Amino acid sequence: MTALLQLRRACRSYRTHAGAVAALVDIDLTIAAGQSWAVMGASGSGKSTLLNILGALDRLDSGSYELDGVPLTRLDDDALSDLRLRRFGFIFQSFHLIAQLDVLENIALPLFYRQTAPELARQRACQLADQVGLADRLHHRPAQLSGGQQQRVAIARALANDPAVILADEPTGNLDSATGEQIMDLLLALPPQGKALIMVTHNEALARHCSHRLWLKDGRVARLES
């Protein structure tokens, strides 16, 4: 197995009014392209911190993190920002769509930041909208969409730059069970395309559909299954 993402003895702590809190402690983790990972654990176990580290949104205090063998700890903020845009796609529980933009514009937003030619960006956004079943909603704004449709827009936006890694934070948490299963079907179709999917979830039934499952407790790996 060739590692796409690799953490070694990864540690992260935060300062609070009560003192230092260890969010991640000596995490060893190897994730390959084509794998789907469910990250689980109680509130405060370190799930969101791990997702932020893997998505290069936060930095380690100690240990190492490599993407395709390249140490991310050596990159400055500008290089990390460029890396996030090119290699990572983010899907959030609360969608984070821009209310003033329609479906097509929301999907194309990462392409705008990469200065993709407008016509090419439009073609890509239309292709993705069709892929997630929203070809007939291109000019609707988020307020005109159901929760499931908004999450489909968020998934399409996350795929706009053809990222290697998809990071999803409770992507079905605000959806009813039937819609949540439809969203999971979309997400689980990504690893066979050679992408790595890492998803934080409290839903063990959904987690069982992933190829790998990781439980955190007090910032440490409590259990691994595959």
Side-chain angles (χ1 to χ4, degrees), residues 155-218:
I155 292 170
R157 180 184 59 191
L159 297 174
N161 280 328
D162 194 24
V165 183
I166 304 296
L167 298 144
D169 192 359
E170 293 284 359
T172 63
N174 283 334
L175 306 174
D176 62 78
S177 58
T179 304
E181 288 177 7
Q182 293 171 2
I183 294 302
M184 279 305 303
D185 287 343
L186 281 172
L187 293 176
L188 291 172
L190 300 175
Q193 300 172 28
K195 301 182 185 302
L197 169 67
I198 303 133
M199 175 184 65
V200 166
T201 182
H202 284 99
N203 190 324
E204 293 210 18
L206 293 178
R208 283 194 290 271
H209 292 289
C210 293
S211 62
H212 296 70
R213 290 162 296 283
L214 164 69
W215 281 264
L216 292 175
K217 183 177 181 180
D218 299 328

Side-chain angles (χ1 to χ4, degrees), residues 34-63:
Q35 292 181 341
S36 55
W37 284 76
V39 180
M40 291 173 286
S43 178
S45 61
K47 303 185 301 297
S48 293
T49 299
L50 178 61
L51 209 66
N52 287 340
I53 291 293
L54 290 174
L57 294 167
D58 196 3
R59 292 180 179 270
L60 293 173
D61 294 326
S62 62

Side-chain angles (χ1 to χ4, degrees), residues 101-120:
L101 302 183
D102 64 21
V103 166
L104 196 64
E105 292 164 333
N106 267 289
I107 294 173
L109 197 59
L111 299 167
F112 168 79
Y113 287 122
R114 287 199 70 179
Q115 299 182 327
T116 302
E119 185 54 35
L120 291 177

Side-chain angles (χ1 to χ4, degrees), residues 57-188:
L57 294 167
D58 196 3
R59 292 180 179 270
L60 293 173
D61 294 326
S62 62
S64 66
Y65 177 29
E66 294 183 355
L67 171 66
D68 275 338
V70 177
L72 269 60
T73 47
R74 300 177 186 174
L75 300 182
D76 62 22
D77 289 344
D78 288 341
L80 284 176
S81 179
D82 181 65
L83 187 77
R84 286 193 298 270
L85 187 59
R86 290 185 295 105
R87 303 301 304 277
F88 294 94
F90 298 91
I91 303 167
F92 303 98
Q93 180 178 353
S94 53
F95 317 135
H96 290 295
L97 302 179
I98 297 178
Q100 295 81 9
L101 302 183
D102 64 21
V103 166
L104 196 64
E105 292 164 333
N106 267 289
I107 294 173
L109 197 59
L111 299 167
F112 168 79
Y113 287 122
R114 287 199 70 179
Q115 299 182 327
T116 302
E119 185 54 35
L120 291 177
R122 177 182 173 81
Q123 290 175 8
R124 174 68 173 159
C126 286
Q127 173 193 18
L128 287 167
D130 183 58
Q131 186 177 325
V132 299
L134 291 174
D136 59 343
R137 297 285 190 274
L138 294 182
H139 301 297
H140 287 62
R141 293 189 178 184
Q144 299 171 298
L145 304 174
S146 69
Q149 289 171 331
Q150 290 184 57
Q151 191 61 295
R152 288 170 185 268
V153 177
I155 292 170
R157 180 184 59 191
L159 297 174
N161 280 328
D162 194 24
V165 183
I166 304 296
L167 298 144
D169 192 359
E170 293 284 359
T172 63
N174 283 334
L175 306 174
D176 62 78
S177 58
T179 304
E181 288 177 7
Q182 293 171 2
I183 294 302
M184 279 305 303
D185 287 343
L186 281 172
L187 293 176
L188 291 172

